[in-house]
């Protein structure tokens, strides 16, 4: 390993392996910013229940929500949890997860700033002070990190993403991955291709293919240890404004996704963890199950049979229903719902359609 000592490399490789194995296990993403978390928790209050909370009360509410979910998260289905820096450094909740055998990770990206002269596309901040931040996160118990870059995607006619934005996102993710490994944390690079516009499935798959290929080109330039890294992409899919959206089947999504991954993700990478991106929990289950079912039944001669672990790193799809119960004060139902969806995604990542 030209850029890592054998000890550092082996630790990164072991953590990356443990996040996606044994087959079925996946990651729970809970790294919303404090403001986004407050909005989510407000949105599930029963009608008329909205209270004006002070800053301290809001902080206490965020902490209580995370504590409740981390106490409930089932370690037989969930390998890791992504924490916001507030949860890791201020609430100090990593030991609660580690004591259950769940690996804590940290969100490394900061906020978005528009690319000058490129409408609706963004540069993601957080690279400048990343090394000391990730070293502090490691000292607080984190063993992996995640960096999300949004990628706009529309039909060829409207033309998103711009080639410039693809280059910026790939370079940013590769810099992040190299720094994360320098701090001793397994990097999860997250190219999040948006599906709100008018791209069809073929266009979305093409954009995924271009984005992910460029990321691995830049990772190579930065000397990232691929065996000690993971990727968290979106599922290729038609945009909400494309008429085929209502007709597309999980099997079509599965073929497009397996094709993209087999063409772009080097076989040295131990796993792919999909994001849910605002899809319903049901849809997120079906897409993941169809993908794994396709891979498991593929012939040994097919490139699909050689794909790495394909699992989940879901946020909204995993905690959407629990949060609704929690907002109504039913904490037991919230804990049960978290277990129910963790188990459903575990089955899906094993290709088991229930
Ligand atoms: P979603 O599954 O809600 O997209 O969250 C995953 C995530 O980590 C977003 O950055």
């Amino acid at each position: 390993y030209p850029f890592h000592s054998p000890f550092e490399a082996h630790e990164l490789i072991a953590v990356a392996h443990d996040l996606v194995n044994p087959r079925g296990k996946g990651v729970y993403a809970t790294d919303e910013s404090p403001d986004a978390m407050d909005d989510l928790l407000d949105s599930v209050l029963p009608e008329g229940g909205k209270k004006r909370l002070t800053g301290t009360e809001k902080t206490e509410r965020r902490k209580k929500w995370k504590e409740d979910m981390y106490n409930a998260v089932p370690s037989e289905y969930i390998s890791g949890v992504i924490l916001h820096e507030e949860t890791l450094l201020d609430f100090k909740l990593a030991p609660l997860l580690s004591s259950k055998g769940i690996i804590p990770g940290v969100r490394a990206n900061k906020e978005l700033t528009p690319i000058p002269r490129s409408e609706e596309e963004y540069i993601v901040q957080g690279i400048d002070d990343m090394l000391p931040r990730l070293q502090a996160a490691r000292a607080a118990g984190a063993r992996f990190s995640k960096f999300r870059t949004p990628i706009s995607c529309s039909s060829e006619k409207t033309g998103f993403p711009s080639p410039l934005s693809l280059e910026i996102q790939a370079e940013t993710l590769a810099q992040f991955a190299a720094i994360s490994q320098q701090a001793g944390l397994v990097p999860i690079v997250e190219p999040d291709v948006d599906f709100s516009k008018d791209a069809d499935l073929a266009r979305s798959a093409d954009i995924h293919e271009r984005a992910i290929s460029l990321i691995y080109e830049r990772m190579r330039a930065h000397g990232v240890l691929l065996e000690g890294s993971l990727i968290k992409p979106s599922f290729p899919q038609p945009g909400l404004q494309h008429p085929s959206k209502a007709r597309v089947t999980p099997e079509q999504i599965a073929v497009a996704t397996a094709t993209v991954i087999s063409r772009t993700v080097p076989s040295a990478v131990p796993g792919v963890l999909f994001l849910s991106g605002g899809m319903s929990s049901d849809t997120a289950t079906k897409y993941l199950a169809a993908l794994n079912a396709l891979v498991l039944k593929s012939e040994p001669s097919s490139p699909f049979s050689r794909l790495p672990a394909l699992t989940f790193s879901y946020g909204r799809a995993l905690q959407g229903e629990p949060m609704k119960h929690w907002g109504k004060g039913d904490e037991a139902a919230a804990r049960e719902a978290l277990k129910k969806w963790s188990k459903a995604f575990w089955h899906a990542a094993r290709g088991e359609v229930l």
Side-chain angles (χ1 to χ4, degrees), residues 29 31 82 146 148 190 232 275-278 313-317:
D31 55 302
I82 314 172
K146 185 206 77 167
R148 171 180 177 269
E190 182 181 1
K232 170 166 175 167
L275 62 91
S276 63
S313 173
Y314 291 165
R316 284 162 282 182

Side-chain angles (χ1 to χ4, degrees), residues 62 79 110 137 179 224 251 262 268 302 311 334 353:
R62 290 195 297 277
S79 55
K110 289 189 175 169
I179 297 169
V224 174
E251 289 70 29
S262 68
S302 158
T311 186
V353 188

